Amino acid sequence: MRYRSEDQLDLFHARASVVTPRDAQDLMSWPFFSLAKSRRVTPIDFRMGEVSIRVEATVEHGMATIWDADILIWAASQIVDARDNGLRTSRLMAATPYEILAFIGRGDSAHSYHRLKAALDRLQSTTVATSIRQPAERRRHRFSWINEWKERMDASGRPLGIELILPDWFYAGVLDDALILTIDREYFGLTGGLERWLYRLVRKHGGRQTYGWSFDLRHLHLKSGGLSPFKRFTFELREIVRRQPLPGYWLALTIDPDGRSRLTFQPNPPEPYAAQRTPRARTTRAVK
């Protein structure tokens, strides 16, 4: 496969050193990925205010999942770390499968390697059209999460490395400091699609704010882009709140005075003495 680019991209070799995980805020805030482990081909068609997102999948590979997005987190982390160390970066990246798998907390077995290739296929075949970061309201940027990818093998068929090209839309967002956040490495240990999506959303909106944040459950259900009905979505949220699996955050379900259910979250552990300084909020009661 030959890479064709008007920019004649230079090859950026990923660094094997320990790199801080970083995520792109646009991907953390909006529904770009399937949250299910089963194959999804039903498109995501999301609109909220001026934001529109259309994600389409092929029957052969299915839609890119939130686990596949770990590869994009790896790429973003590599690019930001290299840039901060004065190294030249590029949309054309090279790494060994072991380097990627080790970063995202996967084993280096043959099974893990085959899963990595399947994830790359889904990222390449999934297409996205979005108005996010577009100058005109009706203009959409269309791309795949990976433009192209290939693997290099030795004479005996053992993998030597992987090369991939990232889309302009993603690469530009990664290079913008305001659009990148560090995430907890324990994120890669989260096994459920909903709890992974919820951590990224909480990290994006709650950040390190002392007093936390909250979301109406109907609003959350819409933002997830999932196919589960609202009743099932609420049940799964209750289970997540019961288990408290999100690293660095404490979750709670409350009911507003008007009867609407709400998910609240705040840093865990909270800043010392924060409760004494918390301003009076509207009355809510906990959901038991």
Side-chain angles (χ1 to χ4, degrees):
M1 173 172 57
R2 293 185 60 191
Y3 293 118
R4 299 173 300 278
S5 171
E6 66 280 5
D7 299 324
Q8 293 299 309
L9 297 172
D10 294 322
L11 183 62
F12 166 48
H13 289 273
R15 288 152 53 88
S17 59
V18 177
V19 174
T20 301
R22 294 176 170 93
D23 206 350
Q25 291 194 47
D26 289 332
L27 276 62
M28 301 167 78
S29 187
W30 304 106
F32 282 110
F33 302 99
S34 170
L35 306 185
K37 293 182 177 178
S38 57
R39 179 177 300 186
R40 173 172 175 169
V41 295
T42 303
I44 295 174
D45 200 354
F46 175 85
R47 292 178 181 273
M48 182 176 289
E50 295 182 355
V51 172
S52 66
I53 298 170
R54 172 81 177 181
V55 184
E56 296 176 307
T58 64
V59 174
E60 180 181 4
H61 298 294
M63 184 178 294
T65 70
I66 199 162
W67 294 273
D68 301 337
D70 288 356
I71 298 172
L72 298 177
I73 295 175
W74 164 82
S77 305
Q78 285 286 335
I79 291 168
V80 173
D81 179 76
R83 183 205 61 189
D84 290 350
N85 281 279
L87 302 176
R88 188 173 182 177
T89 64
S90 171
R91 294 191 295 117
L92 173 56
M93 300 184 66
T96 66
Y98 173 80
E99 289 169 344
I100 300 175
L101 291 169
F103 180 87
I104 62 179
R106 314 277 177 87
D108 60 351
S109 65
H111 177 64
S112 294
Y113 179 62
H114 289 308
R115 289 179 61 192
L116 175 63
K117 291 198 295 182
L120 289 166
D121 281 338
R122 284 189 292 270
L123 289 167
Q124 194 277 325
S125 62
T126 298
T127 58
V128 179
T130 181
S131 64
I132 296 174
R133 285 193 275 121
Q134 298 307 296
E137 182 178 349
R138 294 189 177 182
R139 179 178 171 183
R140 285 188 171 193
H141 195 128
R142 184 176 294 274
F143 58 90
S144 295
W145 291 118
I146 292 177
N147 289 0
E148 303 178 27
W149 78 275
K150 69 176 180 180
E151 56 182 333
R152 294 181 292 110
M153 315 284 271
D154 65 15
S156 62
R158 290 178 298 185
L160 294 176
I162 289 173
E163 294 180 10
L164 58 88
I165 297 181
L166 299 168
D168 285 322
W169 186 89
F170 176 78
Y171 185 69
V174 169
L175 290 180
D176 188 337
D177 276 336
L179 297 178
I180 289 293
L181 286 175
T182 59
I183 62 172
D184 196 306
R185 188 166 290 279
E186 291 185 22
Y187 165 79
F188 298 115
L190 297 177
T191 57
L194 185 59
E195 65 191 34
R196 278 174 154 253
W197 168 78
L198 193 59
Y199 171 81
R200 298 173 86 188
L201 189 72
V202 166
R203 176 69 185 94
K204 163 65 174 70
H205 289 280
R208 305 299 181 192
Q209 298 185 58
T210 300
Y211 309 122
W213 202 266
S214 69
F215 274 116
D216 175 87
L217 259 58
R218 291 282 181 183
H219 180 77
L220 270 183
H221 182 239
L222 177 63
K223 289 201 75 171
S224 74
L227 297 176
S228 298
F230 180 70
K231 185 176 181 179
R232 177 66 186 179
F233 176 82
T234 302
F235 172 80
E236 293 178 355
L237 272 185
R238 289 177 184 271
E239 284 298 299
I240 291 173
V241 170
R242 182 185 64 81
R243 292 186 291 107
Q244 296 293 336
L246 303 195
Y249 293 95
W250 179 263
L251 309 177
L253 285 171
T254 62
I255 298 179
D256 288 344
D258 61 6
R260 290 184 300 171
S261 297
R262 181 172 294 274
L263 179 75
T264 66
F265 46 88
Q266 64 183 50
N268 182 33
E271 181 184 340
Y273 313 115
Q276 299 176 14
R277 302 196 306 271
T278 303
R280 184 180 300 275
R282 59 185 174 182
T283 303
T284 60
R285 58 188 176 89
V287 177
K288 298 181 179 181

